[in-house]
Amino acid sequence: MPNFTSSTRDVPAAAAVPRHIAVIMDGNGRWAKKRFLPRFAGHKKGVETVRAMVKACLERGVEYLTLFAFSSENWRRPQDEVSLLMQLFVKALQQEIVKLHRNGVRLRIVGDLTRFDPKLQQLIREAEEKTAGNQKLCLTVAANYGGRWDIMQAVNRLAAAHPEQGGRWSETDLEPFLAMSFAPEPDLFIRTGGEERISNFLLWQLAYTELYFTDALWPEFDSAALDAAIGSYLRRERRFGRTSEQLLGGSAGGNPPPESSLHA
Ligand code: IPE
Ligand code: IPE
Ligand code: MG
């Protein structure tokens, strides 16, 4: 498993294109409502945007694209919307997997999958296995995902794996158990739909991510809108706790003293 730098321990190398983009795809319902269509029509249209985003990220050399598709709180929605969303997820998996595979995309699903229908769980396993060797773009779909769930499942698995350490853990101990341990932390976070909140998405991993909010609704978010987000990201000064003067002087700055890890 790759061992990526953590933004609180090291300063990640700057890149011309964000390596990892994480997106809250919001505004499907409002897009449909504006057109006097049922909410589901917005979700369907939203799948087309996903397709276009994958293509755009492949073209731009983005290595990781992570999409929030269904939060652990979305079960609170009306039963018929939840079940239509599940059906759409199944259909999209079945229809897109061959094309994703052909384009060198690795698909991963993160979240508590145990609440899903066994048939959907099986489809997810098959899609992940089929694309496991692909390296062009890692597309991660967060489904029944919650940032708090993620941290707690990681804590519980860590405690089960090392009961002898009696609960004295460091960040380095916890990170391999987090759902996104296979990816570097997101460089750029995008939320469409006008809301400016994290809604229990990647709470741990967004520690130093650049946040970008846009009023564009997800079904109308296109490659030009993606470029605007990347452009905004490129104009940011990512200080990771240092001063501007340190950055201008080309000094990397000192890293914090290493945590006293129990593995050390
Ligand atoms: C995001 O769009 C998709 C999911 C949460 C599944 P919404 O369905 O939240 O759309 P709005 O926010 O009601 O417009
Ligand atoms: C966040 O959108 C979750 C997803 C896009 C999957 P919501 O529409 O559920 O978020 P809130 O309820 O407005 O915070
Ligand atoms: Mg919403």
Side-chain angles (χ1 to χ4, degrees):
M1 197 164 278
N3 191 11
F4 291 108
T5 48
S6 153
S7 58
T8 48
R9 283 193 305 281
D10 299 293
V11 174
V17 174
R19 284 186 76 190
H20 183 177
I21 302 180
V23 186
I24 296 187
M25 313 183 284
D26 199 16
N28 292 349
R30 280 163 285 163
W31 181 89
K33 196 172 174 195
K34 272 199 331 201
R35 286 161 181 77
F36 305 101
L37 294 168
R39 293 179 56 83
F40 181 65
H43 297 315
K44 252 178 95 175
K45 186 78 181 165
V47 175
E48 289 179 31
T49 306
V50 171
R51 218 177 277 136
M53 275 311 109
V54 170
K55 184 167 180 275
C57 286
L58 279 165
E59 287 166 357
R60 285 157 185 74
V62 172
E63 294 171 60
Y64 298 87
L65 174 64
T66 301
L67 304 174
F68 204 7
F70 192 87
S71 76
S72 42
E73 289 71 53
N74 285 145
W75 297 103
R76 296 171 179 163
R77 293 192 177 196
Q79 179 55 42
D80 60 336
E81 179 165 346
V82 169
S83 80
L84 281 168
L85 278 167
M86 292 299 150
Q87 286 170 35
L88 191 62
F89 192 18
V90 169
K91 214 171 124 201
L93 266 177
Q94 289 171 329
Q95 285 179 348
E96 305 299 325
I97 199 67
V98 172
K99 200 172 154 210
L100 289 173
H101 187 45
R102 216 189 305 130
N103 285 298
V105 178
R106 175 171 193 169
L107 180 71
R108 290 187 183 257
I109 313 293
V110 293
D112 180 5
L113 304 185
T114 58
R115 236 185 122 174
F116 291 141
D117 186 272
K119 268 191 280 178
L120 177 53
Q121 294 186 38
Q122 177 63 21
L123 259 177
I124 288 171
R125 269 194 299 274
E126 285 169 11
E128 286 187 327
E129 279 166 24
K130 187 182 175 73
T131 60
N134 294 341
Q135 295 188 342
K136 268 187 113 168
L137 170 72
C138 178
L139 170 64
T140 305
V141 175
N144 193 20
Y145 179 89
R148 291 186 180 180
W149 164 83
D150 191 4
I151 293 167
M152 288 318 298
Q153 67 80 27
V155 168
N156 287 323
R157 290 200 299 136
L158 170 62
H162 298 287
E164 74 287 356
Q165 290 185 10
R168 290 176 54 85
W169 320 111
S170 67
E171 291 181 20
T172 332
D173 294 323
L174 188 71
E175 275 157 6
F177 293 94
L178 291 167
M180 296 288 302
S181 62
F182 55 83
E185 292 169 31
D187 300 295
L188 171 62
F189 159 97
I190 299 172
R191 182 173 186 145
T192 61
E195 313 294 352
E196 301 191 350
R197 54 178 170 251
I198 304 291
S199 298
N200 200 16
F201 196 25
L202 304 161
L203 297 179
W204 180 283
Q205 298 85 345
L206 293 176
Y208 269 103
T209 303
E210 296 299 330
L211 307 179
Y212 180 85
F213 298 95
T214 169
D215 287 337
L217 304 171
W218 179 248
E220 63 198 22
F221 191 81
D222 58 12
S223 61
L226 175 67
D227 286 334
I230 294 176
S232 166
Y233 163 81
L234 293 174
R235 289 190 295 276
R236 313 273 178 98
E237 184 178 66
R238 301 192 78 191
R239 290 193 289 275
F240 297 100
R242 298 163 299 170
T243 66
S244 283
E245 289 71 21
Q246 282 176 296
L247 291 176
L248 292 169
S251 146
N255 277 321
E259 297 172 75
S260 59
S261 163
L262 285 156
H263 294 322

